[in-house]
Amino acid sequence: MPKITKIQNPSHLMESRLRANLELIEQIRADSINDIQSLTEMCQHMTLVTESIQQNYQALLAQNQLLTGKLLSIIDECNCREGKRCGRCLEILKTLGGENLEPKPDAVQKYQTLLTQLRKLG
């Protein structure tokens, strides 16, 4: 038996294409909403991670400040004098200031310049 093909008029073909396009647009919009939700969840997660890092860093800085204060008080309570420090106080000073205890006058200026440049970017 021969297959009969139904010929559709052009207006029906246009409607079919329009419906298919509308369905595709709806799928794209649904995918976009899902992508936005995923992005929002990732941003919320990154916010939590950032807050956690910030809290940990603040705690670390507080602990560092406490230890630095304690080490400086040990130096202050020692019987040795500035310029003629004992071995223990010299070790503490090296630990706090690095091997080179000479002040770096331009370090603060470099830091401030860098900080200013970074703030201009943000």
Side-chain angles (χ1 to χ4, degrees):
M1 177 177 215
K3 195 172 189 181
I4 300 175
T5 305
K6 183 178 176 184
I7 300 177
Q8 297 179 348
N9 62 19
S11 66
H12 183 67
L13 289 175
M14 188 171 74
E15 181 183 334
S16 295
R17 277 189 245 137
L18 177 65
R19 287 181 183 271
N21 284 345
L22 290 174
E23 286 178 20
L24 183 61
I25 289 170
E26 190 62 33
Q27 288 175 353
I28 291 171
R29 288 179 178 161
D31 288 344
S32 297
I33 288 174
N34 287 335
D35 291 343
I36 290 170
Q37 285 176 324
S38 295
L39 182 62
T40 300
E41 290 170 2
M42 285 190 303
C43 288
Q44 289 171 343
H45 175 71
M46 289 305 297
T47 299
L48 291 174
V49 169
T50 304
E51 288 173 355
S52 174
I53 291 170
Q54 182 181 14
Q55 290 172 355
N56 290 339
Y57 187 65
Q58 285 174 338
L60 180 66
L61 288 177
Q63 185 179 27
N64 187 346
Q65 201 172 26
L66 232 130
L67 291 172
T68 300
K70 182 64 177 170
L71 290 172
L72 289 175
S73 71
I74 290 171
I75 292 172
D76 291 340
E77 293 169 4
C78 187
N79 292 330
C80 64
R81 302 273 182 247
E82 189 174 338
K84 291 189 177 192
R85 293 289 181 191
C86 66
R88 183 179 67 168
C89 290
L90 284 176
E91 285 300 314
I92 291 173
L93 289 171
K94 284 180 185 177
T95 300
L96 291 175
E99 291 296 320
N100 186 5
L101 296 178
E102 295 298 317
K104 298 178 183 177
D106 61 338
V108 173
Q109 182 60 38
K110 285 181 183 178
Y111 173 75
Q112 288 176 338
T113 303
L114 180 64
L115 191 60
T116 302
Q117 291 171 351
L118 287 173
R119 285 184 177 157
K120 285 180 183 177
L121 292 175

